[in-house]
Amino acid sequence: MVSVSSSLLYCLSLLSLFPIISTSITIPLQHPQTNQIPFQDQYQKLNHLVTTSLARARHLKNPQPTPATTTTTAPLFSHSYGGYSVSLSFGTPPQTLSFIMDTGSDIVWFPCTPHYLCKHCSFSSSSSSPSSRIQPFIPKESSSSRLLGCKNPKCSWIHHSNITCDQDCSIKSCLNQTCPPYMIFYGSGTTGGVALSETLHLHSLSKPNFLVGCSVFSSHQPAGIAGFGRGLSSLPSQLGLGKFSYCLLSHRFDDDTKKSSSLVLDIEQLDSDKKTNALLYTPFVKNPKVDNKSSFSVYYYLGLRRITVGGHHVKVPYKYLSPGEDGNGGVIIDSGTTFTFMAREAFEPLSDEFIRQVKDYRRVKEIEDVIGLRPCFNVSGAKTVSFPELRLYLKGGADVALPVENYFAFVGGEVACLTVVTDGVAGPERVGGPGMILGNFQMQNFYVEYDLRNERLGFKQEKCK
């Protein structure tokens, strides 16, 4: 528990951070810079992505509530670099920072102040290499930075709960009752800081009074995160977007600063049910409402009817495909997850079907034990490699056959592993929450549209540019 005196000192120390005083927008979408990751080989990298995908899945399945104070101990996990980043500008004059795009959360935050502390990160803000430094936002250099007041309705947005100022802001001298410090948990780490009201700049558009987190410390989170989920504090909600869309580059271009695709933000206010040409659509499924699980209301749920492997129906228990009233089950799409997650009872039939159908390549269980993916097959010596087709059938009549490179990872031309993870293979099993989390590895080279106005997801396969 943080004492009153230490809380007061913390709040007072924040005074030094601040001065006393219808279109579409296209933004480059890139992989985060990962040239500093100390991977020894490709097996180790895959194992890292497995671990972080599972950590992310455990968080999404059982999210921790955001406390209104800093009395929580942060969990420590390996940081996932399997995501995509976008540059956003905040402040007056604008300061441009890189953010991880995350459709599985709803808060936008950036590293804040020159003294930003990031523990267990791949690089340090004090690094001598300019390319490896954490670039923080400096509130003192922005005339539009304001600490959010405790009575501001947006204070409850970042805490996902109603804040009672007399109770939670008991120190009257603490910055005239500011919004209490926040703590945000992710599968791979955590971050904490104070809420700001700032101006967001997107090309010709400026959005004043934008709620953004000013994080002063993190673990395993060297870059800021832009939450694109359904919550009130998310970037789409605060901008009032009718829809947004992106095309995710292949992970073959990881760390290539010269290649990027686009994130498109549609701020057109006109009501329209017009569909984008060539897209297949599936309706979003209604989110479950569960006490103490407010994060479930942030996710984008899809209606997955069935899965086939090589044309054969995979018998996945229905309870994992549709969310129940208790919040368990259902399928969500999450740009912050790398490898798709499936609950154990759903994963086993899928894995078994691939094992049953793949006859041309020998299974290599010793590699599975190292990487954490399964099944893995030895494909060395094969001139061409083929695997049974993986097809997803969604509500609304849409179905999609994934390219083989979106569900098998090829390592050194010798081994191919199914890029779907489950509990109990590389870590403990956790029950509850979504039964399946569709990750970004499976969305490579797909154009994906979140039509918020009409509550549907559109998609098509295309070569992202």
Side-chain angles (χ1 to χ4, degrees), residues 76-144:
L76 301 176
F77 297 94
S78 297
H79 185 72
S80 171
Y81 285 94
Y84 294 80
S85 66
V86 61
S87 293
L88 300 174
S89 298
F90 284 91
T92 307
Q95 301 176 43
T96 302
L97 306 171
S98 181
F99 294 79
I100 305 296
M101 184 194 67
D102 182 12
T103 62
S105 66
D106 66 337
I107 296 174
V108 181
W109 66 268
F110 43 51
C112 204
T113 85
H115 305 293
Y116 175 69
L117 176 64
C118 193
K119 293 185 176 181
H120 305 285
C121 293
S122 64
F123 50 81
S124 168
S125 57
S126 61
S127 171
S128 59
S129 171
S131 64
S132 65
R133 289 178 187 157
I134 297 173
Q135 183 181 5
F137 181 84
I138 310 299
K140 266 190 172 182
E141 297 180 2
S142 171
S143 62
S144 52

Side-chain angles (χ1 to χ4, degrees), residues 39-49 370-371 409-413 415:
F39 289 127
Q40 296 177 358
D41 53 42
Q42 294 182 61
Y43 289 152
Q44 186 179 359
K45 180 176 181 178
L46 279 178
N47 178 254
H48 178 81
L49 293 176
V370 173
I371 295 177
F410 295 85
V411 186
V415 174

Side-chain angles (χ1 to χ4, degrees), residues 315-449:
K315 296 182 179 179
V316 176
Y318 179 75
K319 65 179 181 179
Y320 295 111
L321 300 181
S322 179
E325 294 183 358
D326 57 1
N328 296 331
V331 179
I332 67 172
I333 183 171
D334 175 38
S335 67
T337 294
T338 306
F339 296 147
T340 288
F341 168 87
M342 296 181 73
R344 191 68 176 269
E345 289 184 55
F347 171 81
E348 294 290 357
L350 179 74
S351 174
D352 290 346
E353 190 61 36
F354 275 107
I355 293 171
R356 186 184 70 81
Q357 293 190 33
V358 176
K359 303 296 185 183
D360 295 336
Y361 316 118
R362 179 179 63 87
R363 187 178 174 189
V364 281
K365 293 185 179 181
E366 60 273 19
I367 298 299
E368 297 173 8
D369 294 337
V370 173
I371 295 177
L373 293 173
R374 67 178 175 90
C376 292
F377 301 96
N378 186 338
V379 296
S380 60
K383 293 182 179 180
T384 59
V385 177
S386 63
F387 285 99
E389 176 193 80
L390 176 60
R391 185 177 289 269
L392 308 179
Y393 294 82
L394 299 158
K395 285 188 175 181
D399 66 88
V400 55
L402 296 178
V404 68
E405 61 269 21
N406 283 25
Y407 59 97
F408 268 91
F410 295 85
V411 186
E414 297 182 350
V415 174
C417 298
L418 180 68
T419 54
V420 178
V421 298
T422 190
D423 278 328
V425 175
E429 185 172 2
R430 182 181 292 278
V431 298
M436 181 174 174
I437 302 167
L438 185 61
N440 65 53
F441 198 89
Q442 280 63 47
M443 291 184 275
Q444 297 173 93
N445 283 316
F446 271 85
Y447 177 86
V448 183
E449 177 187 278

Side-chain angles (χ1 to χ4, degrees), residues 193-204:
V194 293
L196 295 186
S197 177
E198 237 325 344
T199 299
L200 169 64
H201 302 275
L202 292 168
H203 297 275
S204 59

Side-chain angles (χ1 to χ4, degrees), residues 186-213:
Y186 298 96
S188 54
T190 189
T191 190
V194 293
L196 295 186
S197 177
E198 237 325 344
T199 299
L200 169 64
H201 302 275
L202 292 168
H203 297 275
S204 59
L205 170 70
S206 291
K207 177 67 175 179
N209 303 316
F210 190 97
L211 170 64
V212 62

